[in-house]
Amino acid sequence: MSSEGETIGIIGAGWVGLVTAACFADLGHRVIVRDILPERIELLRAGKVPIYEPGLPELLERNKERLSYTLELTELTDEADFLFICVGTPPTYSGDADLSGVWAVVDELPPLERRLVVIMKSTVPAGTGEKVRSALEARGLGYLGYASSPEFLAEGRAIEDFVHPDRIVVGSFDPADGKRVGALYAGIDAPIVYCDVASAEMIKLASNAFLATRISFINEIANVCEVTGADVEQVAKGMGLDRRIGPHFLHAGIGYGGSCFPKDVTALKQLAGNSGYHFQLLSSVIEVNELQKRRVIGKLEKHLGALAGKTVAVLGLTFKPDTNDMREAASIVLGSRLLAEGAEVRAWDPLADRDSYLRGARICDSVLEAVTGADAAVIVTEWKELRELASEKVHSAMRNPLIIDGRNLLDPDQVRVAGFAYDCVGRPGRSSTASGQAKTSGPQAE
Ligand SMILES: NC(=O)c1ccc[n+]([C@@H]2O[C@H](COP(=O)([O-])OP(=O)(O)OC[C@H]3O[C@@H](n4cnc5c(N)ncnc54)[C@H](O)[C@@H]3O)[C@@H](O)[C@H]2O)c1
């Protein structure tokens, strides 16, 4: 890297593209960001950020002299030596990754004077790099370098994850290209795993599939705890202290969601299937996750009986806190199931795009509005605003003071002392079906 830094092109101004752009600019590189959405580019040029990610606006602002935004790919190919592809790879109906965005970029690359390195940051099936290389060769662009450097950031803490990653993975066809890509990350203190392209692609898919497996595993343990009287939080603590297991991703709840886990697990299962291998374990991981979201309905029915005509407050819509991302959020499945059962759904979230939630649900401006007159309140996303849910105000506003805590966010003793009936995930000894102060209509109060 020159003392001035390199010039890097970023293709795709979503979570991964913008965080990568801001962080590379902060490391001293010049970064040109390209997207195909004119409104996105206009916003960015005006100093605004089209997604919610803590710290990102400040980082983009601090490095604005080194950042520029464009709709034209040629602005990148004219000036940059490295092109990071960060476009979306959503699932298709078959569960395979939709690579049309990736192919649109590859097909659009013009003949070039210089030897750029194209780097795939989008999550793609193992084998994609080989196909891209063939496509580039067929177009007479076989002289371009190609590397895979998958992204492991988690929304809500994406900048921290980029700056302090557990590892950086760089797979390349030519080891010299890999070293050049690795050098872009100079200043970040993390081991770099240099490998071949297919292995880099597989590291990303396998990592997400493994984390999802841990979540489905602890969720099944939670379900068994519910019938055996054990407490999943104590179980997870005891398991996590074993260094061979570790404490992470052992938090029971109503299932994983988001833009990555569901699609990447399915894509890996599909990738294996397409190659003639039945990845049985992942089929179960996916099924357990789907059933976990629906278990909330059973818990509501246990307390309220049939849900037709009941009012349920769905608290938290995004797939996790500190993001406005609604992709594959558990709230969507839960809300549709409630509507299908004939319940009235009131929904609240501090950040989610109001218009993107289910038709038929009433979106509320505050938690209090959502719970007023409700027969139950379900914590779906562990927003910090919900830590004080078991308040006197909420108790008196609800028609039936019942809280279903899908994230084990609240202290069961405090909730019970506050007079609520309470149910959670895998903590049977700490759930309560009725409270002395419960007010009216639910079956538990009748
Ligand atoms: N979001 C995450 O937490 C995360 C984490 C790790 C990896 N990933 C992976 O990174 C990739 C990007 O994810 P994301 O969440 O940033 O997606 P996103 O949907 O937020 O953003 C993708 C952007 O690419 C743009 N785009 C599409 N085609 C384009 C083209 N031809 N040229 C320029 N821009 C184009 C879109 O307009 C959009 O702004 C995906 O493969 C995803 O699986 C995402």
Side-chain angles (χ1 to χ4, degrees):
M1 176 174 109
S2 72
S3 57
E4 308 254 292
E6 302 284 2
T7 299
I8 294 174
I10 300 279
I11 303 171
W15 260 275
V16 169
L18 284 178
V19 169
T20 304
C23 292
F24 273 142
D26 207 45
L27 287 173
H29 302 295
R30 193 177 150 234
V31 183
I32 313 168
V33 181
R34 189 261 183 143
D35 204 286
I36 47 173
L37 300 176
E39 61 278 14
R40 215 157 244 229
I41 293 301
E42 271 163 38
L43 271 178
L44 287 161
R45 282 178 177 155
K48 300 195 176 111
V49 184
I51 56 167
Y52 177 81
E53 183 58 44
L56 184 58
E58 295 79 0
L59 201 61
L60 290 171
E61 172 63 24
R62 193 165 84 210
N63 292 289
K64 64 181 178 201
E65 300 303 326
R66 281 194 284 271
L67 284 157
S68 58
Y69 307 97
T70 181
L71 289 165
E72 304 302 329
L73 184 62
T74 47
E75 274 189 43
L76 280 63
T77 51
D78 283 350
E79 298 189 38
D81 292 313
F82 300 89
L83 282 185
F84 281 84
I85 299 181
C86 306
V87 302
T89 49
T92 60
Y93 282 115
S94 62
D96 293 290
D98 178 354
L99 298 183
S100 55
V102 168
W103 288 118
V105 174
V106 172
D107 293 344
E108 204 186 337
L109 285 173
L112 297 160
E113 303 279 301
R114 291 162 303 115
R115 185 177 181 282
L116 308 188
V117 184
V118 176
I119 303 127
M120 188 64 70
K121 238 191 196 312
S122 297
T123 305
V124 295
T128 302
E130 199 58 64
K131 289 181 186 157
V132 172
R133 178 158 76 163
S134 303
L136 290 174
E137 273 166 8
R139 291 191 50 218
L141 292 172
Y143 56 88
L144 295 181
Y146 184 88
S148 162
S149 184
E151 183 51 59
F152 299 95
L153 63 78
E155 288 175 22
R157 42 165 297 151
I159 290 168
E160 170 70 12
D161 284 346
F162 192 100
V163 178
H164 299 290
D166 292 335
R167 78 306 206 185
I168 293 162
V169 173
V170 181
S172 59
F173 293 120
D174 178 343
D177 287 335
K179 293 285 175 202
R180 286 182 69 203
V181 173
L184 296 175
Y185 294 90
I188 291 182
D189 183 18
I192 301 185
V193 179
Y194 290 105
C195 57
D196 61 77
V197 171
S199 300
E201 293 165 339
M202 189 56 100
I203 287 170
K204 171 65 190 173
L205 290 178
S207 299
N208 272 2
F210 188 72
L211 293 174
T213 302
R214 283 179 71 108
I215 296 172
S216 278
F217 181 83
I218 200 66
N219 282 340
E220 288 227 277
I221 293 292
N223 299 343
V224 178
C225 284
E226 287 182 6
V227 290
T228 56
D231 183 322
V232 73
E233 284 197 339
Q234 295 177 38
V235 174
K237 187 175 172 200
M239 285 171 64
L241 285 169
D242 185 327
R243 272 175 296 174
R244 296 167 301 175
I245 298 173
H248 303 293
F249 284 76
L250 288 181
H251 189 73
I254 57 175
Y256 60 78
S259 67
C260 290
F261 281 5
K263 91 171 164 65
D264 292 349
V265 177
T266 306
L268 178 53
K269 181 192 149 192
Q270 210 54 39
L271 174 69
N274 296 344
S275 324
Y277 179 74
H278 177 49
F279 205 144
Q280 203 163 340
L281 179 60
L282 289 188
S283 301
S284 301
V285 168
I286 294 164
E287 193 184 352
V288 167
N289 195 54
E290 283 312 306
L291 293 174
Q292 197 68 11
K293 296 179 206 168
R294 288 163 170 78
R295 278 176 72 85
V296 173
I297 299 291
K299 287 181 199 279
L300 283 166
E301 284 170 343
K302 182 178 92 189
H303 290 268
L304 299 174
L307 297 179
K310 298 287 184 337
T311 300
V312 179
V314 174
L315 302 178
L317 302 179
T318 53
F319 83 93
K320 66 175 188 179
D322 294 327
T323 180
N324 61 347
D325 200 337
M326 288 283 296
R327 289 177 280 187
E328 299 289 332
S331 66
I332 300 170
V333 172
L334 175 62
S336 345
R337 285 290 301 110
L338 286 168
L339 289 171
E341 293 294 329
E344 184 194 330
V345 175
R346 308 258 190 82
W348 167 87
D349 191 282
L351 272 188
D353 169 17
R354 301 171 67 98
D355 301 330
S356 67
Y357 197 53
L358 301 168
R359 207 154 6 116
R362 188 177 116 194
I363 306 290
C364 300
D365 288 328
S366 67
V367 174
L368 200 59
E369 185 191 336
V371 300
T372 298
D375 297 291
V378 183
I379 298 178
V380 179
T381 313
E382 60 273 42
W383 286 106
K384 65 177 182 330
E385 290 88 333
L386 298 175
R387 291 203 186 118
E388 307 305 321
L389 184 64
S391 67
E392 224 178 281
K393 238 189 204 168
V394 167
H395 187 275
S396 49
M398 291 183 78
R399 181 158 57 198
N400 180 59
L402 163 66
I403 294 175
I404 307 286
D405 184 353
R407 300 291 176 188
N408 288 347
L409 179 69
L410 306 183
D411 178 333
D413 296 331
Q414 283 178 11
V415 181
R416 210 169 304 117
V417 166
F420 289 83
Y422 179 73
D423 219 325
C424 44
V425 182
R427 304 188 294 181
R430 305 209 260 164
S431 300
S432 58
T433 47
S435 90
Q437 293 159 55
K439 291 192 294 188
T440 52
S441 62
Q444 88 276 27
E446 282 168 1

